[in-house]
Amino acid sequence: MSLPQGDVKLLDAPLAAGPATHLGRVPGAHHTTRARTTLRKIVVSMWTTVDGFVAGPDDEMDWLLVDDHLQKYERALVDNAGSLMLGRITHADFAGHWPSTAQNPDQPDDVRGYAQRLDALEKIVVSASGNIATWTNTRRLARLDPDEIAELKRGPGGDIVVYGSLTLIRSLADLRLIDELHLLVHPVFLRQGKALFDGGQPPARLELVSAEPFASGVVLLKYHPA
């Protein structure tokens, strides 16, 4: 199966809007225990190295270890999702690959099925410029506004899965809007490259939900905000 993470390049403009909130709690959302169980989660899924890089200095991804276990995780993630949230560049990369793969009879059934699922999902593109690729079921957010994110989370369907763009993920983290973080930690030191998070923000505590080792040596770590 082709890999879903796409590029890890920065987006075209700052995304955050409004004051930071507590992770998993957004302005306008109902914060009782009962109401929170009905909200869609924002789930960030990223491959990373042991030393915290998500790509090499020139976006190299040749360190990835892909096996059946990882592919099953990726398929289950999108099967249970209701939307993808992507940055402009990642969305363009996906739009240039997955729709044609979904219609290609030469692709293996599992690859084509995965592509068809991505093609059918709602795509939410966060882009200040608005210069986004054409792809079915795509909508645009000009920026990350906590109130607008609260409305998305109250909507119907499965969780909102975030892949790829570092600026988007960092902005979500800065606004404390990430409800669940999935890190697929690969057993390799890159020693240089693009880090998942940069400096300038205070530390954020996480609570470990589960740790699942794969035969390849990759470990899937799932975290909630502490």
Side-chain angles (χ1 to χ4, degrees):
M1 182 184 297
S2 298
L3 299 171
Q5 187 159 308
D7 67 89
V8 291
K9 298 174 183 176
L10 299 183
L11 296 181
D12 49 347
L15 302 176
T21 61
H22 291 295
L23 187 57
R25 301 175 73 89
V26 295
H30 299 293
H31 297 319
T32 64
T33 301
R34 182 177 180 182
R36 281 176 57 81
T37 63
T38 66
L39 294 178
R40 299 204 289 169
K41 294 182 294 185
I42 292 182
V43 179
V44 170
S45 178
M46 287 292 286
W47 304 315
T48 181
T49 65
V50 169
D51 50 348
F53 294 107
V54 296
D58 297 314
D59 291 328
E60 300 94 338
M61 304 293 291
D62 54 355
W63 45 272
L64 294 178
L65 299 173
V66 180
D67 62 2
D68 289 343
H69 207 158
L70 187 146
Q71 292 181 13
K72 288 178 181 177
Y73 157 77
E74 297 289 357
R75 181 59 194 262
L77 184 66
V78 298
D79 280 348
N80 293 320
S83 305
L84 296 179
M85 180 177 286
L86 307 168
R88 177 180 60 86
I89 298 174
T90 303
H91 176 266
D93 286 348
F94 278 30
H97 176 73
W98 290 115
S100 59
T101 300
Q103 302 301 320
N104 186 350
D106 295 330
Q107 291 287 343
D109 289 343
D110 60 339
V111 175
R112 194 166 67 252
Y114 178 83
Q116 289 168 350
R117 177 58 183 159
L118 290 184
D119 204 31
L121 282 172
E122 177 191 44
K123 275 72 70 173
I124 303 166
V125 186
V126 186
S127 170
S129 72
N131 183 25
I132 61 175
T134 300
W135 192 5
T136 185
N137 297 330
T138 291
R139 59 180 292 189
R140 171 179 166 255
L141 297 180
R143 61 179 186 169
L144 289 178
D145 181 279
D147 290 329
E148 195 164 5
I149 297 300
E151 287 299 319
L152 288 175
K153 292 173 70 172
R154 285 196 294 265
D159 291 335
I160 302 166
V161 172
V162 183
Y163 282 134
S165 300
L166 290 181
T167 297
L168 173 57
I169 293 171
R170 291 168 181 173
S171 296
L172 286 167
D174 290 348
L175 290 170
R176 302 190 181 277
L177 295 175
I178 298 173
D179 298 297
E180 194 163 292
L181 179 65
H182 295 185
L183 296 179
L184 291 143
V185 181
H186 284 62
V188 60
F189 289 112
L190 278 191
R191 302 186 187 278
Q192 60 179 340
K194 295 184 176 180
L196 177 55
F197 294 109
D198 54 7
Q201 296 293 331
R205 295 284 184 181
L206 301 173
E207 177 183 343
L208 181 65
V209 176
S210 64
E212 182 181 358
F214 296 173
S216 64
V218 173
V219 179
L220 170 59
L221 301 175
K222 296 183 180 181
Y223 292 98
H224 283 163

